[in-house]
Amino acid sequence: MGLFITFEGIEGSGKTTQIRMAGGYLKKKDVPCVLTGEPGGTPVGTELRKILLDKTSLVLSCRTELLLFAADRAQHVEEVIEPSLEKGEVVLCDRFSDATVAYQGYGRKQDIKPIRAICDFASRSLTPDMTLLFDISADKGLDRVIDRARRMGNVPLEDRFEKEHLRFHETIRNGYLALAEENPDRFKIIDASRDVDTVHQEVRIHLEGLIERQGYAVQ
Ligand code: TMP
């Protein structure tokens, strides 16, 4: 069996840059790895992502949103994550079930208990071996999102979640921190307000520790 490592955080936490850097690092070390993410890690997921992030035309009820994220996850686990783990690969995944608890539970203020049950069903109870939580204040995170959007000429903001107000993102951050407190062995909280390279160094330390304990030959 391989290793399943998830990258989590609010918008602007830099986790997507970090997952790319982590993947590059593992490849350089000849560790077999796969980079993937949700929503959208499969062809079906790509279609679901378009619906989920559409900022204009679609009105999604909270329960529909939750079930679409769960559908994306069910497909992703079956088509990508489980087969990769069975091949002994390290799977680096940009968001997983913790995102659903943080966003649809804490963010949208829906009952957490059924959300956990739905995530469990969708993921066939797959739990990450390690979750890296890129922690940053919501105002700093959103400043970064706005800066990035300006640089790319995309103001006003891109998607339904980025358009949400500051309080929504603060609640999600608190949700993630509560999840980390509940699962201290699995979660590593990383201060994501620092520069990209410093954050990457800390990611490397966590990755190295885990993959060496798992018996991968690190070059
Ligand atoms: P991304 O920007 O990290 O690709 O994620 C897209 C958005 O989807 C992001 O705003 C977080 C949100 N999301 C949820 O609300 N619930 C989920 O279960 C997942 C995986 C993502």
Side-chain angles (χ1 to χ4, degrees):
M1 249 339 227
L3 272 177
F4 184 38
I5 301 171
T6 54
F7 287 55
E8 297 280 0
I10 61 169
E11 325 298 303
S13 62
K15 67 183 169 43
T16 306
T17 305
Q18 290 299 331
I19 202 171
R20 286 200 200 110
M21 292 171 85
Y25 169 71
L26 291 183
K27 285 192 180 128
K28 227 168 55 200
K29 297 266 169 193
D30 274 342
V31 175
C33 75
V34 172
L35 263 68
T36 188
E38 296 184 0
T42 62
V44 167
T46 303
E47 297 307 308
L48 292 172
R49 184 179 174 95
K50 284 183 203 152
I51 299 171
L52 280 162
L53 301 190
D54 186 300
K55 68 172 176 191
T56 49
S57 54
L58 298 172
V59 179
L60 290 184
S61 83
C62 287
R63 281 179 306 148
T64 306
E65 181 184 275
L66 165 66
L67 291 170
L68 291 179
F69 278 116
D72 171 70
R73 182 157 310 127
Q75 189 71 26
H76 191 210
V77 166
E78 208 165 314
E79 197 174 320
V80 177
I81 302 175
E82 282 180 346
S84 305
L85 292 174
E86 275 156 23
K87 279 191 262 168
E89 291 172 333
V90 176
V91 177
L92 303 181
C93 186
D94 192 340
R95 299 196 188 280
F96 197 63
S97 298
D98 296 309
T100 313
V101 175
Y103 279 78
Q104 279 62 55
Y106 285 85
R108 300 278 191 230
K109 304 204 183 313
Q110 295 186 89
D111 192 359
I112 304 276
K113 207 167 155 204
I115 292 180
R116 287 194 201 272
I118 287 166
C119 288
D120 210 42
F121 176 73
S123 68
R124 297 208 270 227
S125 305
L126 180 65
T127 306
D129 296 291
M130 180 167 76
T131 297
L132 301 177
L133 173 56
F134 295 87
D135 182 49
I136 190 165
S137 68
D139 58 343
K140 273 201 188 135
L142 287 182
D143 279 352
R144 283 186 182 175
V145 172
I146 290 165
D147 275 356
R148 184 177 59 208
R150 281 214 183 98
R151 281 199 306 276
M152 296 170 77
N154 285 338
V155 173
L157 290 176
E158 288 260 273
D159 69 40
R160 287 196 315 119
F161 290 94
E162 289 175 350
K163 283 175 65 179
E164 288 282 352
H165 47 88
L166 187 63
R167 185 79 203 107
F168 176 75
H169 294 285
E170 275 167 357
T171 312
I172 291 164
R173 180 193 187 198
N174 291 336
Y176 271 129
L177 290 172
L179 283 169
E181 206 176 304
E182 263 175 51
N183 302 279
D185 294 339
R186 172 163 70 88
F187 270 83
K188 309 290 171 209
I189 302 176
I190 296 175
D191 174 0
S193 66
R194 298 168 300 169
D195 68 90
V196 172
D197 291 323
T198 308
V199 173
H200 175 61
Q201 289 310 319
E202 192 175 338
V203 170
R204 274 168 64 159
I205 292 169
H206 291 306
L207 285 178
E208 271 168 14
L210 186 64
I211 61 181
E212 281 173 16
R213 278 200 302 284
Q214 190 77 0
Y216 285 92
V218 179
Q219 302 298 310

